[in-house]
Amino acid sequence: MEPILLSTTYFGPVQWYQQLHRAENVKIERWENFQKQTFRNRCLIAAANGVQALTVPVKHGDTMLIKDLRISDHGNWRHLHWNAIQSAYGKSPFFDYYEDDLRPFFEQRWDFLLDFNEAIRQKMCELIDIQPDVSYTESFRHISDVTNSPDENAGFEPKPYYQVYRQKHGFLPNLSILDLLLNMGPESIFYL
């Protein structure tokens, strides 16, 4: 079976992890050019005043290939992101349980966005107990070249986590995996 092609993502949306869980083989595209305002360096969390976007700043340079893209240290973003996550999810049922797993991503410095995102992906897969077969592209592959791959720009078909959650909170498509993990626990990915 042809592998699905996914872009790298910063605490990706639940639907991204759905694809990761359901696919037999996944390729992460690392030779594409960086695209602004995508999940490659941005995640959406459910904050008290609505959806909040958290964006990892990147350095613009000679090359904008994802594999070479460096994280910028300006703006104290790590501290701001961690405070936003604590504020949004600090009272959620599973925050205390996962806090020690998440905090290191905001304390340690990472040079490359791809390395940072992959460390997050591996930790999230460990926490939700999935073992996807993931490899990386050796050259650029356009999303249309792979038959079973979702086009991120076209959007995912959103599905509610649970009917109860949808009735209580409303369904917000493309929320980060953090929302699912911290509010509903690791087994909830299997109900998507």
Side-chain angles (χ1 to χ4, degrees):
M1 174 182 255
E2 183 81 17
I4 68 164
L5 183 65
L6 294 174
S7 62
T8 185
T9 183
Y10 171 59
F11 287 109
V14 173
Q15 292 87 351
W16 191 91
Y17 282 91
Q18 264 186 327
Q19 295 292 328
L20 199 64
H21 173 61
R22 292 180 179 167
E24 289 181 23
N25 189 335
V26 175
K27 291 254 185 207
I28 303 282
E29 177 57 67
R30 57 188 205 130
W31 291 89
E32 68 181 337
N33 281 318
F34 173 70
Q35 298 176 35
K36 292 181 180 180
Q37 299 182 0
T38 63
F39 292 115
R40 289 160 183 83
N41 69 324
R42 177 180 297 189
C43 73
L44 302 177
I45 62 170
N49 295 326
V51 176
Q52 181 178 355
L54 302 177
T55 304
V56 176
V58 296
K59 294 179 182 176
H60 298 276
D62 296 336
T63 179
M64 293 297 287
L65 294 177
I66 287 292
K67 71 178 191 69
D68 298 325
L69 196 63
R70 293 185 173 274
I71 296 174
S72 174
D73 282 327
H74 80 277
N76 201 18
W77 70 270
R78 286 178 191 82
H79 177 74
L80 296 174
H81 285 208
W82 181 241
N83 283 347
I85 290 168
Q86 282 182 310
S87 176
Y89 300 112
K91 296 190 186 299
S92 65
F94 294 94
F95 184 79
D96 290 340
Y97 186 74
Y98 293 115
E99 180 178 13
D100 291 338
D101 292 310
L102 300 174
R103 188 183 312 109
F105 293 111
F106 305 98
E107 294 174 342
Q108 182 179 347
R109 291 183 187 260
W110 299 83
D111 290 327
F112 294 97
L113 181 66
L114 182 62
D115 295 339
F116 181 57
N117 287 349
E118 283 304 290
I120 291 170
R121 180 194 60 79
Q122 290 169 4
K123 179 54 80 174
M124 292 297 106
C125 287
E126 175 189 326
L127 296 177
I128 60 178
D129 196 26
I130 63 174
Q131 296 83 32
D133 179 17
V134 175
S135 58
Y136 307 97
T137 57
E138 297 299 323
S139 62
F140 179 71
R141 294 185 73 185
H142 191 272
I143 202 90
S144 63
D145 295 339
V146 182
T147 56
N148 295 326
S149 60
D151 183 348
E152 177 183 308
N153 296 324
F156 291 99
E157 198 60 41
K159 296 179 182 170
Y161 306 147
Y162 292 120
Q163 190 64 31
V164 174
Y165 187 79
R166 183 177 188 168
Q167 290 171 354
K168 184 176 178 184
H169 301 286
F171 179 69
L172 301 170
N174 296 327
L175 275 181
S176 167
I177 188 69
L178 291 173
D179 191 63
L180 182 74
L181 181 69
L182 298 175
N183 280 313
M184 301 184 63
E187 291 82 21
S188 55
I189 189 92
F190 300 109
Y191 295 99
L192 296 175

